């Protein structure tokens, strides 16, 4: 037998590994393999335990699913199609849109990075609400997380209502252009409510069904968006030159009443900023995502980056084929001036093929994207309400925090959030100014709630915030947080400005009034004597079983003793032993799992 030979330098070739048959005598050469990628320890449930919660939801979402939820919710197809004629064309035209979008993208990405760090440190469905409690000073913890939580509820339910309105408008103009039938306000309201009901039903399905719907929405928004952005300029026989798109100023003072270039540019930011509402959904489904401390923040960043690229390409395609921008909004066209993008699709096919019905076929692409967007809105909002109710912060919290045993989803919270969105959205079909108010309120309230934990993270300093795996470092993180807060203040001002002049009761933007009313109402509800939140609300409330009744605890203990410790999964045995351990032992266990 030949003598076993070692490689000349094992240190110099760390990728070299020995064969499983080390004693081979056939003189075969050594196998050269790259090192296997290290797998991260599955410490999600342990981290959730250390934050005070048990694993109630099914953790089956991957990084792709997590990023897909936000990408389907941001949905450039739905957002830009719905707002192109309302906030895009009227304020400076294509030049303002094409130059403002990169600016808005950079600042929105910094806000996203600030939230990604918080998501990595505290991967829980409570998201903004829990982050605020974790980093705020002790004296204001409860009131700060109370206000931020309710601001987010207002922003996300308004956002759901606004997206449902986008779907309703698309379907209404489709029927008008295809059949010549103008749907009444009552019929449109029925469609609006039906969309919310269908979305709530889909959001009540088991987690694996939701993962499939999320994947479908992701592929649809990516593939269909790419195809549409390529097809529109290819089909059109007339296109605007790039020099016109990036330099031509479109004056619409006769429509908007805005004669100031500066004000037009500021209002031109609206369409781009509306595109970046909802990326916080990655944090709301963190308790259903594997390796959430890494996958949730990465999903957030990737979703915003993909939205930026796809949105800019789609906006460029729309402006390339908009050879008559003012004609898209005239009441004499086929859409009767109600929908600029639908009319644009019609015009492209009419000019090329002699009829516009092919444009209506293209209109089904953003129509489906809007429906998938509403579904994701309802699903993620329910997770937010579930986390808020789990801590006893809302009336009837015991019912709202229930997780269905069969589907492992917060079904009650799903239907409650859909109902709240319906109540907020119903007045849109009876009052014109209310439509713009809801859309602007969705942006302002959501971003203000994002700003609360970012502000307290800056105020509290390093000793309070314990960073997770995704962290830019103390100096860069503080700089990013300062810029993000500044941008949030700019958003709050711009989205509160009137969009039509001269100002009167019919065109007034009531966003500032509505947001102020909600903030004051939540503060009044918190400080109300006797029954106010400050008398009973203490912030995040652990649900590890310490509040169970004696009978429940006794029954659980007896069942566990009967089953025996050997029948428990390893993680459950670990959590059972850690329940009796000191806090230092808990953190040591988490660090060991992360290693």
């Amino acid at each position: 037998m030949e003598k076993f030979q070692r490689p000349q330098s094992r240190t110099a070739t760390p990728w070299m590994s020995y064969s499983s048959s080390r004693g081979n005598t056939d003189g075969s050469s050594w196998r050269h393999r790259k090192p296997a990628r290290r797998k991260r320890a599955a410490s999600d449930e342990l981290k959730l335990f250390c934050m005070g919660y048990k694993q109630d939801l099914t953790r089956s979402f991957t990084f792709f699913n997590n990023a897909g939820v936000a990408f389907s919710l941001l949905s450039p197809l739905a957002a830009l199609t719905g707002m192109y004629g309302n906030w895009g064309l009227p304020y400076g035209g294509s030049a303002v849109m094409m130059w403002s979008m990169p600016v808005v993208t950079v600042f929105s990405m910094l806000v996203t990075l600030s939230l990604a760090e918080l998501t990595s440190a505290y991967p829980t469905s409570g998201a903004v609400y829990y982050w605020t409690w974790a980093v705020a000073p002790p004296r204001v913890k409860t009131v700060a997380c109370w206000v931020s939580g309710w601001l987010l509820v207002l922003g996300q339910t308004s956002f759901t209502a606004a997206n449902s309105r986008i779907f309703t408008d698309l379907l209404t103009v489709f029927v008008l252009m295809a059949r010549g039938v103008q749907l009444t306000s009552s019929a449109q309201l029925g469609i609006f409510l039906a969309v919310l009901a269908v979305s709530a039903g889909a959001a009540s399905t088991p987690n694996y069904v939701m993962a499939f719907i999320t994947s479908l929405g992701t592929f649809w928004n990516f593939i269909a968006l790419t195809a549409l952005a390529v097809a529109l300029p290819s089909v059109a026989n007339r296109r605007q030159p790039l020099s016109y798109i990036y330099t031509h100023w479109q004056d619409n003072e006769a429509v908007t009443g805005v004669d100031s270039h500066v004000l037009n540019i500021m209002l031109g930011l609206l369409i781009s900023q509306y595109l970046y509402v909802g990326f916080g959904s990655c944090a709301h489904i963190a308790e259903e995502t594997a390796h959430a401390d890494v996958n949730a923040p990465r999903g957030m960043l990737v979703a915003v980056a993909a939205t930026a690229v796809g949105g800019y390409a789609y906006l460029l395609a729309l402006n390339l084929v908009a050879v008559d921008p003012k004609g898209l909004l005239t009441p004499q066209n086929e859409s009767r001036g109600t929908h600029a993008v639908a009319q644009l699709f019609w015009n492209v096919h009419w000019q090329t093929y002699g009829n516009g019905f092919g444009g209506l076929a293209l209109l089904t692409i953003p129509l489906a994207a809007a429906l998938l967007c509403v579904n994701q809105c309802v699903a993620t909002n329910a997770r937010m309400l579930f986390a808020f109710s789990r801590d006893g912060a809302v009336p009837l919290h015991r019912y709202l925090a229930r997780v269905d045993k069969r589907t492992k989803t917060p079904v009650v919270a799903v239907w409650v959030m859909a109902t709240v969105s319906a109540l907020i959205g119903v007045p849109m079909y009876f009052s014109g100014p209310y439509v713009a108010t809801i859309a602007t309120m969705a942006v302002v309230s959501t971003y203000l709630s994002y700003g609360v934990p970012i502000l307290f993270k800056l105020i509290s300093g390093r000793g309070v915030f314990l960073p997770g795996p995704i962290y830019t470092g103390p100096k860069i993180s503080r700089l990013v947080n300062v810029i993000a807060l500044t941008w949030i203040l700019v958003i709050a001002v711009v989205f509160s400005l009137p969009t039509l002049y001269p100002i009167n009761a019919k065109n007034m933007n009531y966003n500032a009034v509505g947001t102020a009313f909600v903030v004051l109402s939540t503060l009044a509800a918190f400080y109300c004597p006797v029954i106010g939140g400050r008398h009973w609300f203490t912030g995040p409330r652990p649900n590890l079983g310490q509040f169970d009744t004696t009978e429940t605890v006794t029954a659980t203990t007896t069942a566990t003793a009967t089953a025996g410790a050997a029948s428990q999964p390893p993680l459950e045995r670990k959590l059972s032993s850690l329940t009796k351990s000191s806090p230092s032992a808990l953190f040591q266990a988490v660090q060991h799992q992360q290693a």
Side-chain angles (χ1 to χ4, degrees):
M1 181 180 294
E2 297 181 10
K3 188 176 180 181
F4 180 82
Q5 298 291 331
R6 286 185 175 273
Q8 291 292 332
S9 176
R10 188 174 175 184
T11 306
T13 56
W15 59 86
M16 185 180 295
S17 60
Y18 297 105
S19 172
S20 58
S21 54
R22 294 186 57 170
N24 284 349
T25 58
D26 57 357
S28 59
S29 60
W30 295 93
R31 297 179 183 179
H32 293 263
R33 299 182 303 178
K34 291 183 179 181
R37 186 176 178 180
R38 288 187 62 185
K39 294 183 178 180
R40 300 185 70 253
S43 58
D44 292 308
E45 294 183 26
L46 187 58
K47 291 179 180 178
L48 193 60
F49 172 84
C50 291
M51 287 187 284
Y53 302 117
K54 62 183 179 180
Q55 185 71 47
D56 288 323
L57 305 174
T58 302
R59 198 176 285 274
S60 60
F61 275 39
T62 62
F63 161 75
F64 178 79
N65 296 136
N66 188 283
V69 168
F71 187 58
S72 300
L73 202 151
L74 294 169
S75 187
L77 281 171
L80 296 180
T81 301
M83 298 299 176
Y84 184 77
N86 298 334
W87 290 344
L89 288 177
Y91 302 105
S94 60
V96 174
M97 284 188 277
M98 300 310 296
W99 287 109
S100 65
M101 188 171 221
V103 175
V104 172
T105 298
V106 170
F107 288 108
S108 298
M109 184 62 79
L110 294 178
V111 178
T112 308
L113 182 56
S114 298
L115 295 192
E117 291 182 343
L118 289 163
T119 305
S120 181
Y122 312 106
T124 174
S125 297
V128 168
Y129 154 76
Y130 187 93
W131 303 337
T132 303
W133 182 86
V135 300
R139 296 185 63 180
V140 297
K141 274 183 182 292
T142 52
V143 65
C145 68
W146 173 277
V147 173
S148 64
W150 282 110
L151 268 177
L152 190 59
V153 168
L154 171 67
Q156 292 301 294
T157 50
S158 300
F159 186 59
T160 304
N163 286 323
S164 300
R165 173 66 189 236
I166 288 175
F167 176 87
T168 304
D169 289 346
L170 283 170
L171 188 58
T172 301
V173 75
F174 183 92
V175 173
L176 173 64
M177 300 177 76
R179 307 296 298 175
V181 178
Q182 177 67 57
L183 297 180
T184 63
S185 297
S186 300
Q188 295 179 40
L189 177 59
I191 296 173
F192 172 81
L193 297 176
V195 170
L196 289 173
V198 170
S199 300
S204 302
T205 55
N207 200 270
Y208 66 88
V209 178
M210 276 300 302
F212 172 77
I213 296 175
T214 298
S215 300
L216 176 64
T218 305
F219 284 118
W220 183 264
N221 276 277
F222 178 75
I223 297 174
L225 175 64
T226 304
L228 190 58
V230 173
L232 271 178
S234 301
V235 170
N237 59 7
R238 296 174 58 196
R239 290 180 290 272
Q240 296 281 20
L242 290 177
S243 58
Y244 176 91
I245 292 174
Y246 284 95
T247 61
H248 180 74
W249 178 271
Q250 182 176 327
D251 186 9
N252 285 301
E253 183 180 352
V255 177
T256 63
V258 180
D259 58 353
S260 168
H261 281 27
V262 175
L263 185 55
N264 267 296
I265 292 173
M266 292 177 65
L267 294 175
L269 300 175
L270 298 178
I271 183 173
S272 299
Q273 191 59 61
Y274 186 83
L275 183 61
Y276 297 109
V277 179
F279 56 82
S281 57
C282 292
H284 294 310
I285 60 170
E287 293 184 25
E288 299 167 85
T289 304
H291 302 308
D293 57 343
V294 172
N295 287 338
R298 284 181 179 174
M300 194 180 292
L301 294 168
V302 168
V304 172
T307 301
V309 175
Y312 197 80
Y314 183 44
L315 197 60
L316 178 61
L318 292 177
N319 287 322
L320 278 172
V321 299
V323 293
D324 182 20
K326 292 187 177 181
L328 298 176
L329 300 175
T330 58
Q332 291 75 30
N333 60 28
E334 286 76 8
S335 68
R336 300 182 187 176
T338 59
H339 207 287
V341 174
Q343 186 63 45
L344 183 61
F345 289 177
W346 179 280
N347 291 348
V348 168
H349 273 260
W350 179 271
Q351 294 163 5
T352 304
Y353 301 108
N355 71 76
F357 290 100
L360 295 183
L362 290 180
L363 194 63
T364 60
I365 295 176
L367 190 66
L371 180 60
L372 292 167
C373 175
V374 176
N375 172 66
Q376 294 297 342
C377 286
V378 174
T380 55
N381 291 353
R383 272 63 179 178
M384 173 184 63
L385 181 62
F386 160 77
F388 211 21
S389 304
R390 182 173 57 184
D391 297 323
V394 295
L396 304 176
H397 59 87
R398 293 184 182 275
Y399 299 97
L400 297 177
R402 286 182 177 177
V403 175
D404 186 77
K405 294 181 180 179
R406 184 175 58 87
T407 62
K408 291 295 182 181
T409 54
V411 175
V412 178
V414 166
W415 286 96
V416 168
M417 291 303 280
T419 302
V420 173
S421 297
L423 294 175
I424 289 178
V426 164
M428 288 192 293
Y429 296 94
F430 302 98
S431 174
Y434 192 73
V435 178
T437 298
I438 287 298
T440 54
M441 189 181 296
V443 179
V444 173
S445 298
T446 301
Y447 271 85
L448 285 178
S449 68
Y450 291 166
V452 175
I454 298 175
L455 174 63
F456 285 120
K457 178 174 172 284
L458 278 173
I459 294 175
S460 300
R462 302 185 194 177
V464 175
F465 175 69
L466 301 176
I470 306 299
Y471 185 52
T472 57
K475 293 183 179 179
I476 297 179
S477 179
R478 284 197 296 272
L479 177 61
V480 169
N481 293 163
V482 170
I483 298 175
L485 283 174
T486 305
W487 182 247
I488 290 172
L489 292 176
V490 172
I491 292 172
V493 172
V494 171
F495 275 77
S496 298
L497 295 174
T499 56
L500 297 174
Y501 292 83
I503 304 171
N504 54 54
K506 293 183 178 181
N507 62 22
M508 179 65 182
N509 184 357
Y510 294 96
N511 162 57
V513 177
T515 304
F517 174 77
V518 171
V519 172
L520 294 176
S521 298
T522 54
L523 288 174
F526 185 82
Y527 288 107
C528 181
V530 183
I531 61 173
R534 69 189 182 97
H535 297 289
W536 48 269
F537 178 69
T538 58
R541 184 175 184 233
N543 69 341
L544 299 175
Q546 67 274 44
F547 300 107
D548 293 343
T549 60
T550 305
E551 292 79 3
T552 305
V553 174
T554 304
T556 305
T557 306
T558 304
T560 305
T562 303
S567 62
Q568 290 183 323
L571 184 57
E572 290 187 9
R573 293 202 301 271
K574 185 75 173 176
L575 296 182
S576 298
S577 62
L578 288 176
T579 305
K580 303 177 182 179
S581 304
S582 62
S584 60
L586 293 178
F587 285 108
Q588 289 175 4
V590 174
Q591 292 172 357
H592 175 71
Q593 288 286 341
Q594 290 177 339

